[in-house]
Amino acid sequence: MARPIRHCLLLTGAAEGLGASIAETFARAGHDVIGLSRTNRSEHLKRRVEQSGGIYTHLSCDITQPTDVAAALKPHAGRINVFVHNPHVLAIKPFEQTTASEFEQAWRVACLGAMLAAQSVLPHMIARGEGAIILTGATAGIRGAAQFSAFASAKFALRGLAQSLAREFGPKGVHVAHVVLDGLIAGPPQSTRIEPDLVAHAYLELASQHPSAWTHEMDLRPFSERF
């Protein structure tokens, strides 16, 4: 019997924690998963995806390198229905001690990486007239705190990219969403941290929304987080 045609998720910054929760949740909902990260440590994600009924493909690639990203995604881009961009560099450092390379790298991972992967998948989404792009943001993308100059500026840039892409490609059928994660991730249930499986379910709901009622920006925080 032929295997049913499944949707396909591209997950950049594929790793344990939130990445693994996203991969498993989408696999249970009928998606195969393509994970992209610099390392090749993919056994945990592969196991969780395949136990959930999906097929996991790992691409070892530096998300900040245009040629590498384009080459890695070219064989797969045509079947990707959902793209979730998850990587970041959490740089917490006094501004006067922050180097130019550290500042630039935070932006390259969070924003340039999203741009490069989006350029690979968007033409195919536009041709089908549907698709979803979800960019993982943070409170720092709305409010820059002391010693977060590199991280905050990168997340502000990512939020601006999400807004621009939404306005350009929404009319062409592509749902672009930005999710503000306001709090630390992981920890036991009922703790003061965000439960990654619940974030993953929120992402799945975003990717499944009807075009008549799209959410562009969503913020998620634990009950105890002040805002």
Side-chain angles (χ1 to χ4, degrees), residues 63-155:
I63 191 66
T64 70
Q65 300 301 312
T67 303
D68 295 350
V69 173
L73 292 180
K74 185 176 181 179
H76 309 281
R79 64 190 187 97
I80 293 168
N81 307 90
V82 182
F83 162 41
V84 173
H85 184 69
N86 219 24
H88 65 267
V89 175
L90 181 57
I92 306 174
K93 199 173 187 180
F95 178 69
E96 66 272 17
Q97 297 175 17
T98 301
T99 66
S101 60
E102 290 171 334
F103 192 90
E104 180 182 10
Q105 184 65 7
W107 169 81
R108 291 181 70 87
V109 170
C111 192
L112 178 63
M115 173 264 192
L116 295 174
Q119 282 193 331
S120 289
V121 302
L122 267 169
H124 303 280
M125 292 182 176
I126 293 167
R128 290 191 300 267
E130 61 179 7
I133 295 175
I134 302 173
L135 306 181
T136 301
T139 309
I142 298 174
R143 183 178 67 250
Q147 300 193 18
F148 279 76
S149 59
F151 183 66
S153 61
K155 287 297 189 180

Side-chain angles (χ1 to χ4, degrees), residues 83 85 111 113-119 121-122 125-126 132-135 157-178 214 216:
F83 162 41
H85 184 69
C111 192
M115 173 264 192
L116 295 174
Q119 282 193 331
V121 302
L122 267 169
M125 292 182 176
I126 293 167
I133 295 175
I134 302 173
L135 306 181
L158 182 69
R159 188 178 185 224
L161 176 65
Q163 292 177 3
S164 182
L165 294 182
R167 293 184 172 104
E168 184 171 355
F169 298 107
K172 299 179 181 180
V174 181
H175 180 193
V176 181
H178 177 255
W214 277 347
H216 170 63

Side-chain angles (χ1 to χ4, degrees), residues 139 143 182-183 221-227:
T139 309
R143 183 178 67 250
D182 186 12
R221 65 179 58 85
F223 68 94
S224 58
E225 187 77 17
R226 296 181 64 183
F227 66 100

